[in-house]
mmCIF file of all heavy atoms in Angstrom:
data_model
loop_
_atom_site.group_PDB
_atom_site.id
_atom_site.type_symbol
_atom_site.label_atom_id
_atom_site.label_comp_id
_atom_site.label_asym_id
_atom_site.label_seq_id
_atom_site.Cartn_x
_atom_site.Cartn_y
_atom_site.Cartn_z
ATOM 1 N N THR E 20 121.226 -142.605 23.685
ATOM 2 C CA THR E 20 121.329 -143.200 25.017
ATOM 3 C C THR E 20 120.245 -142.640 25.904
ATOM 4 O O THR E 20 119.622 -141.614 25.604
ATOM 5 C CB THR E 20 122.710 -142.933 25.656
ATOM 6 O OG1 THR E 20 122.852 -141.539 25.828
ATOM 7 C CG2 THR E 20 123.815 -143.485 24.802
ATOM 8 N N ARG E 21 120.025 -143.247 27.006
ATOM 9 C CA ARG E 21 119.031 -142.764 27.957
ATOM 10 C C ARG E 21 119.673 -142.696 29.344
ATOM 11 O O ARG E 21 120.711 -143.295 29.578
ATOM 12 C CB ARG E 21 117.806 -143.654 27.970
ATOM 13 C CG ARG E 21 118.071 -145.054 28.472
ATOM 14 C CD ARG E 21 116.752 -145.847 28.472
ATOM 15 N NE ARG E 21 116.903 -147.066 29.208
ATOM 16 C CZ ARG E 21 117.342 -148.206 28.691
ATOM 17 N NH1 ARG E 21 117.637 -148.275 27.421
ATOM 18 N NH2 ARG E 21 117.456 -149.277 29.448
ATOM 19 N N VAL E 22 119.011 -142.001 30.219
ATOM 20 C CA VAL E 22 119.525 -141.861 31.586
ATOM 21 C C VAL E 22 119.575 -143.230 32.225
ATOM 22 O O VAL E 22 118.642 -144.018 32.152
ATOM 23 C CB VAL E 22 118.608 -140.919 32.402
ATOM 24 C CG1 VAL E 22 119.069 -140.862 33.844
ATOM 25 C CG2 VAL E 22 118.593 -139.543 31.790
ATOM 26 N N GLY E 23 120.685 -143.547 32.828
ATOM 27 C CA GLY E 23 120.842 -144.812 33.490
ATOM 28 C C GLY E 23 121.436 -145.894 32.611
ATOM 29 O O GLY E 23 121.776 -146.969 33.073
ATOM 30 N N ALA E 24 121.538 -145.637 31.279
ATOM 31 C CA ALA E 24 122.117 -146.612 30.396
ATOM 32 C C ALA E 24 123.632 -146.580 30.527
ATOM 33 O O ALA E 24 124.216 -145.558 30.858
ATOM 34 C CB ALA E 24 121.722 -146.321 28.957
ATOM 35 N N GLY E 25 124.249 -147.671 30.298
ATOM 36 C CA GLY E 25 125.702 -147.701 30.375
ATOM 37 C C GLY E 25 126.178 -149.011 30.933
ATOM 38 O O GLY E 25 125.385 -149.913 31.236
ATOM 39 N N PRO E 26 127.462 -149.153 31.074
ATOM 40 C CA PRO E 26 128.026 -150.431 31.519
ATOM 41 C C PRO E 26 127.965 -150.614 33.027
ATOM 42 O O PRO E 26 128.962 -150.884 33.678
ATOM 43 C CB PRO E 26 129.463 -150.338 31.015
ATOM 44 C CG PRO E 26 129.773 -148.891 31.071
ATOM 45 C CD PRO E 26 128.504 -148.202 30.725
ATOM 46 N N MET E 27 126.760 -150.380 33.593
ATOM 47 C CA MET E 27 126.619 -150.575 35.041
ATOM 48 C C MET E 27 126.465 -152.052 35.337
ATOM 49 O O MET E 27 125.663 -152.728 34.736
ATOM 50 C CB MET E 27 125.386 -149.826 35.549
ATOM 51 C CG MET E 27 125.727 -148.605 36.309
ATOM 52 S SD MET E 27 124.293 -147.603 36.709
ATOM 53 C CE MET E 27 123.340 -148.656 37.715
ATOM 54 N N GLY E 28 127.193 -152.522 36.269
ATOM 55 C CA GLY E 28 127.097 -153.935 36.632
ATOM 56 C C GLY E 28 126.761 -154.076 38.096
ATOM 57 O O GLY E 28 126.349 -153.131 38.767
ATOM 58 N N GLU E 29 126.918 -155.270 38.603
ATOM 59 C CA GLU E 29 126.642 -155.563 40.002
ATOM 60 C C GLU E 29 127.450 -154.676 40.942
ATOM 61 O O GLU E 29 126.997 -154.321 42.007
ATOM 62 C CB GLU E 29 126.958 -157.025 40.309
ATOM 63 C CG GLU E 29 126.058 -158.023 39.607
ATOM 64 C CD GLU E 29 124.667 -158.084 40.196
ATOM 65 O OE1 GLU E 29 124.551 -157.911 41.417
ATOM 66 O OE2 GLU E 29 123.713 -158.274 39.447
ATOM 67 N N SER E 30 128.670 -154.300 40.531
ATOM 68 C CA SER E 30 129.525 -153.512 41.409
ATOM 69 C C SER E 30 128.930 -152.132 41.697
ATOM 70 O O SER E 30 129.087 -151.612 42.802
ATOM 71 C CB SER E 30 130.901 -153.369 40.794
ATOM 72 O OG SER E 30 130.844 -152.675 39.580
ATOM 73 N N GLU E 31 128.238 -151.536 40.723
ATOM 74 C CA GLU E 31 127.677 -150.198 40.931
ATOM 75 C C GLU E 31 126.273 -150.235 41.532
ATOM 76 O O GLU E 31 125.900 -149.349 42.265
ATOM 77 C CB GLU E 31 127.645 -149.447 39.599
ATOM 78 C CG GLU E 31 129.033 -149.100 39.117
ATOM 79 C CD GLU E 31 128.984 -148.275 37.858
ATOM 80 O OE1 GLU E 31 128.031 -147.467 37.712
ATOM 81 O OE2 GLU E 31 129.872 -148.425 37.024
ATOM 82 N N ARG E 32 125.491 -151.250 41.192
ATOM 83 C CA ARG E 32 124.114 -151.334 41.682
ATOM 84 C C ARG E 32 124.016 -152.043 43.022
ATOM 85 O O ARG E 32 123.020 -151.947 43.696
ATOM 86 C CB ARG E 32 123.247 -152.085 40.695
ATOM 87 C CG ARG E 32 122.865 -151.273 39.502
ATOM 88 C CD ARG E 32 121.841 -152.042 38.722
ATOM 89 N NE ARG E 32 122.388 -153.320 38.305
ATOM 90 C CZ ARG E 32 122.242 -153.860 37.112
ATOM 91 N NH1 ARG E 32 121.519 -153.258 36.238
ATOM 92 N NH2 ARG E 32 122.771 -155.015 36.819
ATOM 93 N N GLY E 33 124.954 -152.841 43.350
ATOM 94 C CA GLY E 33 124.838 -153.700 44.509
ATOM 95 C C GLY E 33 124.290 -155.045 44.080
ATOM 96 O O GLY E 33 123.786 -155.202 42.965
ATOM 97 N N GLU E 34 124.364 -156.002 44.928
ATOM 98 C CA GLU E 34 123.873 -157.338 44.561
ATOM 99 C C GLU E 34 122.378 -157.433 44.743
ATOM 100 O O GLU E 34 121.818 -156.867 45.680
ATOM 101 C CB GLU E 34 124.592 -158.390 45.416
ATOM 102 C CG GLU E 34 126.059 -158.486 45.115
ATOM 103 C CD GLU E 34 126.712 -159.674 45.795
ATOM 104 O OE1 GLU E 34 125.982 -160.671 46.032
ATOM 105 O OE2 GLU E 34 127.900 -159.601 46.050
ATOM 106 N N SER E 35 121.726 -158.129 43.837
ATOM 107 C CA SER E 35 120.285 -158.315 43.954
ATOM 108 C C SER E 35 119.999 -159.402 44.979
ATOM 109 O O SER E 35 120.816 -160.293 45.216
ATOM 110 C CB SER E 35 119.674 -158.681 42.602
ATOM 111 O OG SER E 35 120.230 -159.888 42.144
ATOM 112 N N ALA E 36 118.837 -159.303 45.587
ATOM 113 C CA ALA E 36 118.434 -160.280 46.614
ATOM 114 C C ALA E 36 118.209 -161.629 45.963
ATOM 115 O O ALA E 36 117.730 -161.697 44.819
ATOM 116 C CB ALA E 36 117.167 -159.801 47.299
ATOM 117 N N PRO E 37 118.513 -162.704 46.655
ATOM 118 C CA PRO E 37 118.214 -164.042 46.114
ATOM 119 C C PRO E 37 116.687 -164.178 45.911
ATOM 120 O O PRO E 37 115.914 -163.738 46.760
ATOM 121 C CB PRO E 37 118.724 -165.003 47.167
ATOM 122 C CG PRO E 37 119.348 -164.203 48.242
ATOM 123 C CD PRO E 37 119.130 -162.760 47.964
ATOM 124 N N ARG E 38 116.303 -164.782 44.814
ATOM 125 C CA ARG E 38 114.879 -164.860 44.467
ATOM 126 C C ARG E 38 114.414 -166.276 44.229
ATOM 127 O O ARG E 38 115.206 -167.170 43.976
ATOM 128 C CB ARG E 38 114.625 -164.035 43.212
ATOM 129 C CG ARG E 38 115.021 -162.591 43.368
ATOM 130 C CD ARG E 38 114.244 -161.755 42.415
ATOM 131 N NE ARG E 38 114.325 -160.362 42.796
ATOM 132 C CZ ARG E 38 113.402 -159.700 43.476
ATOM 133 N NH1 ARG E 38 112.311 -160.303 43.841
ATOM 134 N NH2 ARG E 38 113.528 -158.445 43.782
ATOM 135 N N ARG E 39 113.096 -166.454 44.286
ATOM 136 C CA ARG E 39 112.468 -167.721 43.933
ATOM 137 C C ARG E 39 111.223 -167.401 43.089
ATOM 138 O O ARG E 39 110.609 -166.376 43.252
ATOM 139 C CB ARG E 39 112.094 -168.520 45.161
ATOM 140 C CG ARG E 39 110.933 -167.937 45.944
ATOM 141 C CD ARG E 39 110.556 -168.838 47.119
ATOM 142 N NE ARG E 39 109.487 -168.272 47.880
ATOM 143 C CZ ARG E 39 109.570 -167.282 48.729
ATOM 144 N NH1 ARG E 39 110.737 -166.689 48.956
ATOM 145 N NH2 ARG E 39 108.515 -166.834 49.373
#
Side-chain angles (χ1 to χ4, degrees):
T20 63
R21 65 179 192 272
V22 175
M27 253 172 62
E29 294 286 326
S30 62
E31 291 184 34
R32 283 189 301 223
E34 293 190 27
S35 60
R38 302 204 164 261
R39 71 177 179 283

